[in-house]
Amino acid sequence: MQRIHIGLVGVGKIVRDQHLPALAESPDFHLLATADPNARYDSVPGYAALGDMLEAHPELEAVAICTPTHLRYSQARIALEQGKSVLLEKPPGATLSEVEDLVDLAESQGGTLFAAWHSRFAPAVAQAREWLEEKRIRRVEIDWREDVRVWHPGQAWIWEPAGMGVFDPGINALSIATEILPRAFFLRDARLWVPSNCQAPIAAALTFSDTEGTPVVADFDFRQPSPPIWNIHVDTEAGRLSLLQGGCRLEIDGRCLLDAEEREYPGLYARFAELVREGRSEVDLAPLRHVADASLAARREPTESFIE
Amino acid sequence: MQRIHIGLVGVGKIVRDQHLPALAESPDFHLLATADPNARYDSVPGYAALGDMLEAHPELEAVAICTPTHLRYSQARIALEQGKSVLLEKPPGATLSEVEDLVDLAESQGGTLFAAWHSRFAPAVAQAREWLEEKRIRRVEIDWREDVRVWHPGQAWIWEPAGMGVFDPGINALSIATEILPRAFFLRDARLWVPSNCQAPIAAALTFSDTEGTPVVADFDFRQPSPPIWNIHVDTEAGRLSLLQGGCRLEIDGRCLLDAEEREYPGLYARFAELVREGRSEVDLAPLRHVADASLAARREPTESFIE
């Protein structure tokens, strides 16, 4: 099959760590160019801006947008208006309203828009979803705790309002939970702890319930000493499912069903290729909506200053 | 035409001030009963709970849900599941996620769900919308300022997280702006001032821009001495449209086109009757989504304690 010509917008840490290796081994994509005013990838032409890249390479069929969140909307609009397929890194935008507008635009253009939630492509997520499909669920516990100094060194932006603080990793947990649980769930109570010198929370305690009243509790914390805890436990009438290590390991009642290497981005690009070839979009706003809901309805408590 | 049998859920201030008078003069509705554990309306039977009211009056076709926001989701679900048409007072829920679920439920049941934004039924709103339809817009200014002590006396809930503070009136302005402006707009910057003894903001400064880059600025403030200011100004190539007094008065370049008495709730119930008879839903989440976006992306600044 012909490879899809793709350009990368934004050449930052996530692109070097994940997108470039995934594209290098992808049977579906051929990386043509990058656009970033401050960085480039030596093997392909680099342009300062998306517009320049699109002009120089009319053969581009798709772009992956990995710039800081507040820049994504206008870049995605330009690309969609020029008929390109668009992948948005997570979260898909700085606000829900702008992503809704991109969805409308993609629909009216007949183009592909893909809101990429990379954690959904962790190896054990699909099997966890299947196992839970028909089970009666009693309680869900989401534990997502890591040391911000280890996992986000020097990322001062994470403490700004749009940086989302502990929701930056927490939204990954929510993207998995909304994928594997058979019913939608809704926030009932939220507490956020915000360092007195920061705008975004360092910890969050969220209580949701689903349409049947099943409790879903989430504990997000940036103050966890290493090793990190990225686990979701689901108590059902047929036993306790544990999705561990960010979705790499699946256990039922402590018995291991799957333990595999993390390969999220190859899976994510395989899905994007499928969507591009079928001319379909996939934009699930549920994870970002839960974070917005928590921001809207949470009780905020000041906590001690964060000094890296 | 046969009147629609309706029940009211929640008998608080907004019901006494607005819903009861509007229903009393409505040619479309016949009020059968109310449900509220603490209050009732003497002219019709009162029940403690929605379930009791529905059981006692199977002939009920519709309910208007006017309870505190956090109770609405489960009540709306019960009513929709029993095939009733549902009107939700503004805002339609405590979170976006729960309202999305109600939309899905109404769709799957083929029932009517109406998210009622009462300010959209102010007398001059429809004419403002028509006038703006084809105009080139340069700038939008939303001024929505009132004295919280005058307009919300004793409403301690308004300072709780779900009370939304100055967004309680501000969402009315956003419901008008999203109705009259021809293009969607998105938050670019938000500052919230939160009294040090409160959870919800006393003032908000929001900057949006629309798909063409047109600035839309909003100034919400609870510290405005009387009289209140509830105005929207739209600068266009064809002159300045001013929608004043909460939508009662329309001016173009200072010339008055319409100045009418406030009759929002009769208009709102006329629309609900239309939707019920046609079996359609109308749920526009844009106003609540903008408030959630602002909560997600705002810079919060502490300000002096609020003591009523």
Side-chain angles (χ1 to χ4, degrees), chain B residues 20-53:
Chain B
L20 288 172
L23 285 170
E25 65 163 80
S26 168
D28 299 308
F29 290 94
H30 176 52
L31 178 65
L32 279 196
T34 63
D36 189 312
N38 307 310
R40 51 173 299 176
Y41 169 56
D42 285 340
S43 310
V44 296
Y47 300 88
L50 167 63
D52 301 337
M53 179 175 81

Side-chain angles (χ1 to χ4, degrees), chain B residues 16-294:
Chain B
R16 294 185 186 282
D17 290 354
Q18 301 288 353
H19 290 258
L20 288 172
L23 285 170
E25 65 163 80
S26 168
D28 299 308
F29 290 94
H30 176 52
L31 178 65
L32 279 196
T34 63
D36 189 312
N38 307 310
R40 51 173 299 176
Y41 169 56
D42 285 340
S43 310
V44 296
Y47 300 88
L50 167 63
D52 301 337
M53 179 175 81
L54 293 177
E55 207 179 300
H57 297 275
E59 71 276 29
L60 276 170
E61 299 164 85
V63 296
I65 299 184
C66 310
T67 45
T69 320
H70 68 281
L71 301 174
R72 289 186 197 155
Y73 168 73
S74 55
Q75 292 169 333
R77 233 190 126 83
I78 290 169
L80 286 169
E81 279 172 347
Q82 296 197 25
K84 312 302 178 189
S85 294
V86 171
L87 178 155
L88 294 166
E89 244 298 351
K90 69 114 227 198
T95 65
L96 290 164
S97 305
E98 64 187 33
V99 188
E100 295 276 4
D101 184 64
L102 294 178
V103 170
D104 291 346
L105 181 62
E107 223 174 78
S108 70
Q109 299 268 354
T112 289
L113 180 68
F114 179 35
W117 298 107
H118 62 80
S119 295
R120 288 185 174 175
F121 296 90
V125 167
Q127 200 174 334
R129 181 195 171 105
E130 277 165 39
W131 193 86
L132 288 169
E133 217 160 23
E134 304 288 317
K135 302 293 187 296
R136 187 171 200 86
I137 294 170
R138 290 186 180 135
R139 182 181 166 84
V140 181
E141 278 168 33
I142 305 173
D143 277 328
W144 219 261
R145 292 178 270 147
E146 64 189 40
D147 185 343
V148 66
R149 291 182 174 84
V150 171
W151 295 93
H152 305 273
Q155 294 182 11
W157 57 264
I158 215 166
W159 300 111
E160 292 298 305
M164 303 204 308
V166 78
F167 285 117
D168 180 74
I171 205 169
N172 295 337
L174 292 169
S175 76
I176 296 177
T178 48
E179 176 81 3
I180 65 173
L181 295 174
R183 285 187 298 273
F185 52 87
F186 319 102
L187 194 70
R188 288 284 158 261
D189 188 72
R191 287 173 72 191
L192 307 183
W193 287 269
V194 183
S196 53
N197 60 340
C198 298
Q199 285 286 333
I202 197 165
L206 312 176
T207 306
F208 304 87
S209 70
D210 73 7
T211 50
E212 312 270 287
T214 311
V216 177
V217 297
D219 180 5
F220 300 156
D221 208 318
F222 257 162
R223 299 164 302 187
Q224 170 73 26
S226 284
I229 294 170
W230 295 318
N231 297 341
I232 298 177
H233 302 282
V234 186
D235 286 313
T236 78
E237 54 174 5
R240 178 176 170 94
L241 174 143
S242 296
L243 188 59
L244 308 172
Q245 299 164 16
C248 286
R249 185 179 171 93
L250 179 65
E251 294 181 0
I252 308 291
D253 289 328
R255 190 170 51 88
C256 178
L257 260 66
L258 183 72
D259 193 355
E261 204 192 338
E262 191 273 289
R263 283 179 51 78
E264 296 176 4
Y265 279 77
L268 186 153
Y269 272 103
R271 172 73 60 90
F272 186 39
E274 217 176 285
L275 293 170
V276 172
R277 288 185 174 130
E278 295 173 6
R280 288 191 302 120
S281 285
E282 182 181 305
V283 182
D284 182 6
L285 279 170
L288 184 58
R289 197 157 49 217
H290 281 308
V291 176
D293 282 342

Side-chain angles (χ1 to χ4, degrees), chain A residues 139-143 215-219 231-235 240:
Chain A
R139 180 180 169 84
V140 180
E141 279 168 33
I142 304 171
D143 277 329
V216 177
V217 299
D219 180 6
N231 297 341
I232 298 177
H233 302 281
V234 186
D235 286 313
R240 177 175 171 94

Side-chain angles (χ1 to χ4, degrees), chain A residues 32-40 44-50 52-54 56-57:
Chain A
L32 279 196
T34 63
D36 189 312
N38 306 310
R40 52 172 299 176
V44 296
Y47 300 87
L50 168 62
D52 301 335
M53 180 176 79
L54 293 177
H57 297 276

Side-chain angles (χ1 to χ4, degrees), chain A residues 241-256:
Chain A
L241 174 144
S242 296
L243 188 60
L244 308 172
Q245 299 164 14
C248 287
R249 185 180 171 93
L250 180 65
E251 294 182 0
I252 307 292
D253 289 328
R255 191 170 50 90
C256 177

Side-chain angles (χ1 to χ4, degrees), chain A residues 27 45 53 62 70 105 109 140 146 167 170 206 213 220 226 230 247 281:
Chain A
M53 180 176 79
H70 67 281
L105 181 62
Q109 299 268 355
V140 180
E146 64 190 41
F167 285 117
L206 312 176
F220 300 157
S226 284
W230 295 320
S281 286

